[in-house]
Amino acid sequence: MNLDAKVPGGPLEDKWDRHKKDLRLVSPANKRKFDVIIVGSGLAGASAAASLAELGYNVSCFCFQDSPRRAHSIAAQGGINAAKNYQNDGDSSWRLFHDTIKGGDFRAREGNVYRLAQVSANIIDQCVAQGVPFAREYGGLLANRSFGGAQVSRTFYARGQTGQQLLIGAYQALERQIGKGTVTMYSRHEMLELVVVNGRARGIVARDLVTGEMQSFAAHTVVLGTGGYGNAFYLSTNAKGCNVTAAYRAYKKGAGFANPCFTQIHPTCIPVAGDFQSKLTLMSESLRNDGRVWVPKRAGDTRKPADIPEAERDYYLERKYPSYGNLAPRDIASRAAKEACDDGLGVGPGGRGVFLDFSSAIKRLGEDTIRERYGNLFEMYERITDENPYQTPMRIYPAVHYTMGGLWVDYNLMSNLPGLHVIGEANFSDHGANRLGASALMQGLADGYFILPYTIGDYLAGAKLEAVDTSHQAFRDAETEANARLGKLLAIDGTRSVDSFHKELGHILWEKCGMARDRAGLQEALARIPALRAEFWENVKVPGSAETLNQSLEKAGRVADFLEFGELMCSDALIREESCGGHFRTEYQTEDGEALRDDDRFAHAAVWEYQGENQTPVRHIEPLTFEFVKLATRSYK
Amino acid sequence: MKLTLKVWRQPGPKATGKFVQYSTTADEHMSFLEMLDVVNEELLAKGDEPIAFDHDCREGICGSCALMINGAPHGPRKATTTCQLHMRTFKDGDTIVIEPWRAAAFPVLRDLVVDRTALDRIIAVGGYISAPTGSAQDGNAIPIPKEDSDLAMDAASCIGCGACVAACPNASAMLFTAAKVSHLGRLPQGQPERDRRVLAMVQQMDEEGFGGCTNYGECQEACPKDISVENIARMNRDWVRATLSDRGEAVASAGTG
Ligand SMILES: Cc1cc2nc3c(=O)[nH]c(=O)nc-3n(C[C@H](O)[C@H](O)[C@H](O)COP(=O)(O)OP(=O)(O)OC[C@H]3O[C@@H](n4cnc5c(N)ncnc54)[C@H](O)[C@@H]3O)c2cc1C
Ligand code: SF4
Ligand code: FES
């Protein structure tokens, strides 16, 4: 497997500019002769589709929802980072770069991360020009706030609906191109196979989710912007449709899957209420700007929070991490909450919760200011829990939120499979082992607006691509394969529902490969998952047919992929004998319980290569070298 | 709590539909969609096909979920999507009628799932600011009064769910379209295309088969995001202004969607 990252040499600040100079161009007259398939219409996919169509390429865009506007990106609440230094608090591309590398526990590529920090400023400009109504100060200038893991105010936001507004900006740019006929949109279409011809990605097979028809689409290059796989855990903050299918099928066709064990757990979610629970709701991390996290000092203290005096409360984040306090990064805040609950100090039903308390902020700033800042989040919390957070502290608990692993890509965002580009959360990204808040939106839009439009031209200008259309045998084979899989799922006619398998898998992954992992647990998971998968293929019940809108069948296909992918996650976690970011192996920690990295053995991205059905995949590595920052222990104390 | 459900079942776009009655037991902490998940598991266990319904984020923001509950889009709670509606809103022994959005422009695909792509086509003819990637000036180059940007945000918070259409006796898409027109029209960046935008979007709305607005105000009542009918008045003013300034040619070149 060729893992040449293609990061240009030379000074960090000049890499991207120099690279842009070297990238080959496609002449305007030739651009429309190139067909580009983009799977996904989230921030990454929609921004890429709109930008490439503006350049003149012939674009087809796919999503499984009924409209591109409903992609999971719509749900992001808190904000997007950019190194604008509008607040004059000392921010710079360098500082954003440094925070991101450090926040990711030194498991990201320097060159990529610096570029991300550099283009972040353009993203805000682009979005403002599109009409994204970012929060403003009374003077008319853009407002900022801070987010976990940063000591500067560099987060831009649109109330608690930042993802929605950014996506609507990109969606509108996309719709504009659809209106002009330069993008053909296929909504309610699910990609089920990647088609490879002569070693290059040349198309996809997708199912029309309304008619059930299997269709082939050929192109010169394929872009995946299909999001993350957090739903492998069943309960997560992800939208219900989020899945790993597209990335996993590409993996099976030869694309390397990098760092599958890196999952981000978000510290501020509404705790689980019962067995029927279908998803977990995130409360934006921005709440930690004003909310203080605490638990009672005494285990089993069932008094109302207001009746617990100050002296009997443990503001554990402020105590343990005085310089960041409640704004400690996500992995640290999550683990600290779990520890408090494991020690029996948790609050609420089942003791799986900690308080997020706004009473001192309300005293200091007044209820109106708090309402102005977080009103819609408070409302959402009340709607779900029936408790009023203006009067009593919120209860929060960590939940699976984001996945840093994904298909491996080089500096040009191309996987090791030529012609397959991967953007946004679907690639293994620039976040390392842990993603800081407000940086996924930034990365999705950086990839789609400002990086891919340059690098894809280089690929198309340089590759000698023969004419391929959907009559090619590779498409027939891929369609046959996809149809056979659906047929098989429908034919099993067992007794257990798809959801019951998904829940069981999710339970294994959360317990054994969640916030904390150890060797024995991972080995147990690696024994239980194949058994569960075997039962799935013998006993799942999928009603209906493949010729209609069949939501059970859609779910079954996604869960089938999760059942294979879950094993890859655990294998990856087992081999990585260190703790870093969202990957915490309990065997590897310092005396005071902090993550213990092993840079000598693991300063690399682990990239898995598929070897065929029931074969153990091969683990390759891309060594990570740190030329510009010093590898240091991450400390937020 | 014990519930009786009367659910619209329709196997496909051309098939005839009918109400089917189910009984189930729900927990008050469940969301409405979680209650349906449980019903679907029960149907599956009996060998029946589960009820098809659209949903994704389950956080009230994607606009996917779309159920007519006891005659009200998204159910009885004000400013609340179906996915954010909790069973504590209902009482033990209640009968709940669940239907798809009903509007000629929203054909039923299956059970409770309808086709709302007409809303996308309204956006495609002009619901945007033409700002190609890479040419933007600094974001702070044009200060925008906080009030304007707040009002733009109010309108921009529309989730495109179509409840306004479903609630309207005329099946009008005025609130949805007006929200977009207001969002972009409140911002300095939206001014150059303001006239052609409103003309093109209103024309497309008619072509899609949505009805006209006769001021019932049901849309605002049903809107899960509290979008105000004031936006409709603004859109009408903009439309009149645009028509009077005779920019007809702009519509012709705005694309067909
Ligand atoms: C509740 C929540 C809050 C968040 N808040 C923040 C925040 O404040 N700041 C921040 O930076 N990040 C935040 N994030 C993370 C961020 O929203 C996501 O990482 C990011 O939006 C992912 O964008 P994307 O374009 O890569 O993928 P997505 O938006 O997930 O889009 C995936 C697209 O791929 C399509 N797709 C997937 N599979 C297929 C298939 N097989 N066939 C066809 N189409 C397919 C989908 O239809 C969709 O269009 C948040 C995430 C959540 C869950
Ligand atoms: S205006 Fe309200 S009801 Fe209509 S689509 Fe938008 S959010 Fe839904
Ligand atoms: S499921 Fe997204 S708004 Fe209800």
Side-chain angles (χ1 to χ4, degrees):
Chain A
M1 180 171 276
N2 175 21
L3 296 179
D4 176 6
K6 300 209 178 82
V7 181
L12 198 52
E13 296 78 5
D14 301 340
K15 284 181 193 292
W16 178 229
D17 289 340
R18 288 219 345 269
H19 192 62
K20 277 196 289 190
K21 248 187 358 232
D22 295 341
L23 290 171
R24 285 159 292 197
L25 296 174
V26 178
S27 83
N30 284 338
K31 285 204 182 93
R32 78 185 114 85
K33 295 184 194 150
F34 284 114
D35 302 319
V36 180
I37 283 175
I38 298 181
V39 189
S41 64
L43 284 175
S47 58
S51 304
L52 290 169
E54 281 160 12
L55 286 172
Y57 295 105
N58 187 20
V59 177
S60 306
C61 184
F62 295 78
C63 73
F64 64 75
Q65 290 93 347
D66 65 327
S67 161
R69 69 176 293 146
R70 306 206 206 282
H72 167 61
S73 294
I74 199 103
Q77 300 168 352
I80 176 168
N81 279 342
K84 280 285 203 182
N85 196 29
Y86 282 156
Q87 306 305 328
N88 193 29
D89 53 5
D91 203 6
S92 61
S93 297
W94 169 266
R95 206 176 279 275
L96 176 50
F97 154 75
H98 193 265
D99 284 352
T100 309
I101 287 279
K102 175 183 164 201
D105 234 338
F106 303 90
R107 293 293 174 261
R109 237 187 244 146
E110 282 185 327
N112 284 54
V113 177
Y114 194 86
R115 172 177 66 183
L116 176 65
Q118 246 174 331
V119 304
S120 66
N122 305 51
I123 296 173
I124 302 305
D125 302 340
Q126 175 67 24
C127 297
V128 168
Q130 287 172 340
V132 170
F134 283 119
R136 301 235 162 211
E137 306 288 356
Y138 281 101
L141 302 183
L142 291 154
N144 290 115
R145 61 184 172 203
S146 6
F147 240 64
Q151 285 171 316
V152 290
S153 275
R154 62 160 76 99
T155 306
F156 294 78
Y157 61 102
R159 294 212 181 122
Q161 287 130 271
T162 315
Q164 178 197 33
Q165 293 309 313
L166 295 173
L167 183 63
I168 285 182
Y171 153 80
Q172 286 172 185
L174 172 61
E175 287 296 337
R176 174 170 169 246
Q177 297 303 320
I178 295 171
K180 288 179 162 184
T182 56
V183 176
T184 310
M185 185 72 216
Y186 296 90
S187 52
R188 289 202 203 267
H189 274 69
E190 182 163 41
M191 168 185 160
L192 293 181
E193 283 298 338
L194 178 74
V195 179
V196 178
V197 177
N198 291 337
R200 291 177 190 271
R202 293 303 302 267
I204 63 167
V205 167
R207 179 169 178 264
D208 178 331
L209 298 179
V210 176
T211 63
E213 195 194 341
M214 203 62 83
Q215 300 164 340
S216 282
F217 301 87
H220 295 91
T221 179
V222 176
V223 181
L224 298 186
T226 46
Y229 51 82
N231 272 359
F233 290 84
Y234 187 74
L235 283 184
S236 80
T237 65
N238 288 190
K240 292 294 284 175
C242 292
N243 65 88
V244 76
T245 291
Y248 197 70
R249 292 300 153 71
Y251 161 73
K252 285 191 151 184
K253 286 278 157 72
F257 208 111
N259 300 334
C261 78
F262 287 171
T263 306
Q264 179 177 79
I265 315 280
H266 197 292
T268 52
C269 303
I270 301 181
V272 177
D275 289 340
F276 49 79
Q277 193 102 12
S278 62
K279 77 158 289 178
L280 296 173
T281 302
L282 171 85
M283 299 306 295
S284 167
E285 180 172 37
S286 64
L287 292 169
R288 288 197 279 144
N289 266 310
D290 288 309
R292 300 177 68 194
V293 176
W294 63 276
V295 289
K297 279 190 177 158
R298 181 164 56 78
D301 191 338
T302 52
R303 285 176 291 176
K304 283 214 225 66
D307 298 339
I308 303 179
E310 281 293 315
E312 293 172 43
R313 301 174 174 192
D314 182 9
Y315 294 91
Y316 59 85
L317 286 177
E318 296 170 29
R319 172 171 59 79
K320 289 196 200 166
Y321 308 98
S323 53
Y324 284 76
N326 295 298
L327 285 174
R330 294 180 174 183
D331 58 324
I332 296 198
S334 296
R335 219 153 33 240
K338 180 173 192 287
E339 271 160 28
C341 296
D342 288 347
D343 291 345
L345 302 170
V347 300
R352 292 277 136 197
V354 300
F355 288 127
L356 180 63
D357 193 342
F358 287 85
S359 54
S360 47
I362 291 175
K363 239 182 252 139
R364 181 163 43 93
L365 303 162
E367 201 171 306
D368 286 348
T369 307
I370 295 298
R371 182 165 283 117
E372 163 85 9
R373 284 187 194 166
Y374 313 110
N376 70 317
L377 296 169
F378 277 38
E379 232 179 87
M380 185 165 93
Y381 181 85
E382 182 168 7
R383 209 160 284 185
I384 293 172
T385 61
D386 217 15
E387 291 171 4
N388 178 346
Y390 293 100
Q391 286 159 12
T392 184
M394 289 182 180
R395 286 175 297 112
I396 55 165
Y397 196 66
V400 171
H401 179 58
Y402 179 89
T403 47
M404 283 78 66
L407 294 179
W408 182 88
V409 288
D410 63 16
Y411 192 68
N412 293 324
L413 303 180
M414 189 157 87
S415 71
N416 59 301
L417 189 62
L420 179 70
H421 294 82
V422 192
I423 56 178
E425 194 173 338
N427 71 23
F428 85 124
S429 90
D430 305 346
H431 307 299
N434 177 47
R435 176 175 77 79
L436 293 180
S439 65
L441 301 180
M442 168 171 84
Q443 187 229 336
L445 290 177
D447 289 0
Y449 281 136
F450 296 113
I451 299 168
L452 190 69
Y454 288 93
T455 60
I456 217 168
D458 183 63
Y459 171 73
L460 292 171
K464 297 237 174 321
L465 298 169
E466 71 275 52
V468 167
D469 63 29
T470 55
S471 62
H472 193 284
Q473 189 58 33
F475 284 91
R476 297 284 79 73
D477 293 346
E479 278 189 30
T480 308
E481 213 179 308
N483 275 320
R485 201 165 40 240
L486 298 187
K488 202 166 151 197
L489 286 168
L490 289 165
I492 298 168
D493 197 27
T495 58
R496 268 185 80 175
S497 71
V498 174
D499 271 356
S500 78
F501 283 101
H502 194 178
K503 277 186 195 180
E504 189 173 336
L505 173 71
H507 190 74
I508 298 174
L509 289 175
W510 176 247
E511 290 298 325
K512 309 295 173 194
C513 195
M515 251 191 293
R517 303 115 188 236
D518 63 24
R519 184 169 302 108
L522 289 164
Q523 280 164 344
E524 185 192 327
L526 285 170
R528 282 170 65 190
I529 295 171
L532 185 65
R533 186 167 64 234
E535 193 199 336
F536 175 87
W537 285 104
E538 269 162 28
N539 194 24
V540 73
K541 185 171 186 70
V542 184
S545 82
E547 281 84 47
T548 53
L549 193 160
N550 184 343
Q551 295 176 330
S552 308
L553 184 60
E554 293 168 29
K555 260 199 299 208
R558 292 172 192 158
V559 171
D561 286 333
F562 280 141
L563 280 164
E564 292 184 27
F565 179 70
E567 199 176 325
L568 194 66
M569 286 171 87
C570 294
S571 306
D572 190 47
L574 183 63
I575 295 184
R576 191 170 278 277
E577 292 176 331
E578 65 163 349
S579 293
C580 60
H583 168 71
F584 191 80
R585 280 283 297 266
T586 53
E587 303 98 320
Y588 307 96
Q589 51 181 309
T590 62
E591 257 166 34
D592 49 356
E594 302 294 335
L596 189 62
R597 270 197 344 252
D598 184 344
D599 293 331
D600 293 335
R601 293 173 61 214
F602 292 103
H604 58 235
V607 188
W608 294 85
E609 183 180 9
Y610 184 67
Q611 299 292 314
E613 219 61 48
N614 299 320
Q615 306 288 314
T616 313
V618 173
R619 182 181 189 269
H620 302 271
I621 62 166
E622 179 204 333
L624 295 169
T625 46
F626 294 88
E627 252 186 277
F628 303 94
V629 292
K630 247 194 26 234
L631 278 163
T633 307
R634 235 168 114 224
S635 167
Y636 292 87
K637 295 207 159 149
Chain B
M1 57 177 83
K2 290 216 177 319
L3 300 170
T4 303
L5 308 179
K6 289 186 174 155
V7 185
W8 184 259
R9 301 300 307 259
Q10 181 174 336
K14 297 202 180 76
T16 43
K18 61 172 195 291
F19 282 103
V20 178
Q21 188 162 318
Y22 305 100
S23 46
T24 190
T25 313
D27 182 296
E28 59 167 351
H29 292 299
M30 286 176 169
S31 72
F32 199 86
L33 300 185
E34 284 167 345
M35 183 274 291
L36 284 181
D37 291 342
V38 171
V39 172
N40 275 344
E41 288 287 292
E42 290 164 359
L43 288 177
L44 202 68
K46 281 194 299 195
D48 292 341
E49 285 204 39
I51 303 160
F53 62 94
D54 262 332
H55 63 98
D56 201 19
C57 74
R58 298 204 172 192
E59 289 196 10
I61 191 76
C62 72
S64 295
C65 59
L67 302 182
M68 190 65 116
I69 301 167
N70 288 339
H74 295 297
R77 256 194 96 163
K78 225 183 130 33
T80 305
T81 55
T82 301
C83 56
Q84 295 290 77
L85 180 70
H86 282 73
M87 296 314 291
R88 62 182 80 93
T89 312
F90 298 90
K91 291 192 313 291
D92 186 40
D94 274 359
T95 295
I96 308 176
V97 181
I98 310 174
E99 293 167 83
W101 281 178
R102 308 267 189 204
F106 290 164
V108 174
L109 298 176
R110 179 171 194 153
D111 297 342
L112 306 169
V113 178
V114 302
D115 178 356
R116 286 172 283 181
T117 46
L119 299 181
D120 292 324
R121 289 187 291 270
I122 295 176
I123 300 295
V125 298
Y128 47 74
I129 290 169
S130 299
T133 304
S135 55
Q137 60 183 337
D138 186 87
N140 264 345
I142 307 175
I144 304 178
K146 185 175 183 315
E147 293 77 9
D148 291 358
S149 115
D150 282 351
L151 287 167
M153 180 65 218
D154 287 345
S157 63
C158 161
I159 57 173
C161 63
C164 44
V165 177
C168 176
N170 305 330
S172 162
M174 288 288 257
L175 194 63
F176 166 82
T177 310
K180 189 50 55 192
V181 166
S182 285
H183 159 207
L184 300 174
R186 295 262 190 202
L187 299 169
Q189 292 83 354
Q191 299 313 308
E193 292 167 302
R194 189 163 159 188
D195 288 356
R196 58 155 59 195
R197 174 180 308 121
V198 69
L199 292 173
M201 290 179 80
V202 168
Q203 184 182 325
Q204 186 67 29
M205 208 167 68
D206 293 342
E207 281 170 19
E208 293 290 345
F210 292 105
C213 171
T214 49
N215 295 321
Y216 279 100
E218 297 285 341
C219 52
Q220 176 179 282
E221 280 306 299
C223 175
K225 296 294 147 183
D226 260 341
I227 308 280
S228 157
V229 286
E230 276 173 33
N231 290 301
I232 296 183
R234 272 181 64 87
M235 179 167 82
N236 285 333
R237 280 202 304 278
D238 269 20
W239 187 80
V240 170
R241 204 187 66 150
T243 315
L244 293 179
S245 61
D246 192 28
R247 299 254 182 98
E249 92 295 345
V251 181
S253 63
T256 57

